[in-house]
Amino acid sequence: MGLFGAIASVANGFQLVPPGSQGGADPAPAPAAGSAAQPSAPNATAPLSPLSGALRGQISEISARQNSTSVRDGYLAELGALFAPNDTSPGIGASFEAFVKACRGLAAAPGDPALAQNAIKQGDTLAGTVRTLAQGVEKLAVRMNDDASSGLQDLNQTLVAIHRENRTIATQAALNRPSDEDEARRDVLVAKVVDMTGANVFPRENRGVALYTASGQPLLDGRPFQFSSTAATGPAPAGAVSADGSITDGRLGALLRLGADGSRATPARPADTAPDAEILRKLRSQLDAVAGALLGRTRPKQPTTLADAYDMAPPASASELGFGLFIGGNRGTLQVNPDLLSGAKSLKPGAMAAVANSLSAGGRQFNADGLTLTGASYGQFATRVSDAWNWLSASSTRETKVADTASTLMNGYRQNGGAINFQSEVSGLATVQDALATSRRIAHALGDFLRTLDQVAA
């Protein structure tokens, strides 16, 4: 099976057929003239053939993408589980709609105490769902910030260590002495930085090396650079360069992309428009927007808010809650008024028609980091928030499968000496484009890979 066919199989949920097996796989290349086929031990892994040129560059790129997607998928899978409906929470969109339905029912029969209790219960469930999501985001943030801090510290220390080895090797070169052991130690350190950042390695005089990111940011060239990020906690090293936007590949790059927060930069930066960038910032802002829908006041040229719709209706008696159906200041403190939950106060029957109308009203404008919605209702916005994060989680898992498969198959090419059936690869492109039509980034990456195969075949 060729590369494109295998990736198409993954995209469609099929099982892969290993290279060289029966069942539609490409036949193994014939031995070269004058050579004898060498038997292999059962379950032995064929040695990887050294490669150079365009194919070697593509292998490095695929390896960096695999590292990046595995880190990304780990965090986004946790996020998807947080937003997914479960036994204890129906999800934020469903919770909002259940509250809207309960308020409509009470508006149709304002004097029904059972319907009033149901409206209070559904409001409490909605507020609890928002708080639970907010708490989950903060737990994710703690782990992500800690990982980013330790990752940056590790990178900075490793760059200093490589610089130290460069100087030792240069001294040995000047004295015309061998430096094999020093270079071996440096190679281990360089491989670590490449894994973390996807760095490109450039030879320098006196047997030294320089490291640059794919975007051109120097990591080490003559001197080691030190890096900081808004994704990390704690003080930055003296003279540190911001890694945000410049270290985007490899394991650390993926982590910094997810956890960066431009609002903490000086000066503050607008939110990154990419769905998988600055996710903590976007999550906090979007959940605050959902809480604000229940707490906020009416803005010019906007429908009456829920809070105003309830508060403006006069109470018929002292036993009715006069104002503050929901209280709190943000996503973490949102709650139904405790007097309603304890039974000390009851809902105002005369306010429920206005409340139901407010909850159902469209034409609202929502502005949160990473999500702007115009002409929507409260429930539509809450559902959009949930759907967006569930989609991102599922998309990340799919891209990780593709990256893993591409890496596995590239190793297969190396095991057969780099032989590529270019004609079969090209014939499978249309299938892959159909199978991966929902992921433009993957389709673009496959297009790049096809062009690389073209160079190799030439």
Side-chain angles (χ1 to χ4, degrees):
M1 176 178 287
L3 174 63
F4 290 115
I7 297 179
S9 296
V10 172
N12 286 293
F14 299 145
Q15 292 293 323
L16 291 175
V17 180
S21 67
Q22 299 299 315
D26 292 341
S35 65
Q38 298 296 319
S40 58
N43 301 321
T45 301
L48 297 181
S49 302
L51 298 172
S52 60
L55 191 56
R56 179 179 180 180
Q58 187 64 31
I59 287 176
S60 297
E61 181 181 344
I62 285 178
S63 177
R65 186 182 303 131
Q66 183 186 30
N67 293 338
S68 179
T69 56
S70 65
V71 170
R72 181 171 172 266
D73 186 47
Y75 286 105
L76 293 182
E78 183 176 336
L79 189 59
L82 184 63
F83 274 87
N86 53 55
D87 294 338
T88 59
S89 173
I92 190 170
S95 294
F96 218 118
E97 290 303 326
F99 176 61
V100 172
K101 183 178 179 181
C103 289
R104 285 176 181 167
L106 181 57
D112 190 322
L115 292 178
Q117 284 303 311
N118 184 51
I120 294 171
K121 176 184 175 182
Q122 296 301 334
D124 187 42
T125 298
L126 172 57
T129 299
V130 174
R131 292 196 308 272
T132 297
L133 287 172
Q135 292 165 4
V137 170
E138 294 313 310
K139 288 180 181 179
L140 180 65
V142 169
R143 185 163 65 86
M144 192 177 292
N145 294 153
D146 287 347
D147 289 349
S149 297
S150 60
L152 281 171
Q153 182 179 22
D154 193 10
L155 172 64
N156 290 335
Q157 292 174 348
T158 305
L159 291 174
V160 171
I162 294 173
H163 175 62
R164 189 180 301 116
E165 294 294 347
N166 265 348
R167 294 181 61 180
T168 301
I169 292 167
T171 299
Q172 300 288 27
L175 297 174
N176 199 25
R177 295 176 179 173
S179 57
D180 295 349
E181 292 184 3
D182 304 292
E183 291 182 43
R185 287 195 301 269
R186 185 187 62 188
D187 287 347
V188 173
L189 296 171
V190 168
K192 181 179 179 180
V193 173
V194 171
D195 178 76
M196 295 174 71
T197 67
N200 295 316
V201 185
F202 300 93
R204 292 290 188 258
E205 60 183 6
N206 296 328
R207 306 174 195 161
V209 296
L211 300 172
Y212 281 76
T213 69
S215 64
Q217 168 65 49
L219 301 173
L220 182 149
D221 196 355
R223 67 182 180 90
F225 286 74
Q226 297 290 279
F227 293 91
S228 64
S229 171
T230 55
T233 56
V241 176
S242 175
D244 298 344
S246 58
I247 297 180
T248 57
D249 297 322
R251 298 183 186 279
L252 180 60
L255 175 57
L256 298 183
R257 179 178 173 83
L258 291 170
D261 185 348
S263 67
R264 297 170 53 191
T266 305
R269 300 188 300 265
D272 193 313
T273 56
D276 61 342
E278 297 189 290
I279 64 168
L280 297 175
R281 173 185 184 174
K282 292 173 182 175
L283 283 161
R284 290 164 174 153
S285 177
Q286 290 171 24
L287 290 176
D288 274 343
V290 174
L294 303 173
L295 299 168
R297 298 302 173 185
T298 306
R299 294 177 294 167
K301 299 181 180 180
Q302 291 284 292
T304 303
T305 63
L306 166 68
D308 284 344
Y310 185 85
D311 292 353
M312 288 188 298
S317 68
S319 65
E320 295 177 359
L321 181 70
F323 59 90
L325 174 56
F326 287 92
I327 63 172
N330 56 32
R331 64 191 182 276
T333 57
L334 175 70
Q335 62 176 315
V336 170
N337 195 302
D339 285 344
L340 291 175
L341 295 174
S342 67
K345 296 287 185 179
S346 61
L347 289 170
K348 291 183 289 187
M352 298 317 297
V355 166
N357 289 336
S358 174
L359 289 171
S360 302
R364 298 188 186 277
Q365 174 75 29
F366 297 92
N367 294 295
D369 289 341
L371 180 58
T372 298
L373 200 58
T374 302
S377 67
Y378 290 141
Q380 288 171 335
F381 177 72
T383 299
R384 182 70 172 272
V385 169
S386 179
D387 289 349
W389 294 110
N390 280 320
W391 174 86
L392 184 62
S393 175
S395 175
S396 175
T397 298
R398 186 174 186 175
E399 290 182 24
T400 299
K401 290 180 180 179
V402 172
D404 289 346
T405 301
S407 180
T408 299
L409 291 174
M410 285 306 297
N411 285 335
Y413 285 135
R414 295 187 67 182
Q415 289 168 359
N416 66 22
I420 297 174
N421 187 337
F422 181 66
Q423 184 174 1
S424 71
E425 299 299 325
V426 174
S427 67
L429 178 59
T431 303
V432 176
Q433 288 176 329
D434 290 340
L436 301 178
T438 58
S439 180
R440 294 180 180 178
R441 282 179 295 175
I442 300 176
H444 177 72
L446 290 172
D448 290 343
F449 192 79
L450 177 61
R451 286 188 289 273
T452 302
L453 291 178
D454 193 8
Q455 297 171 13
V456 175

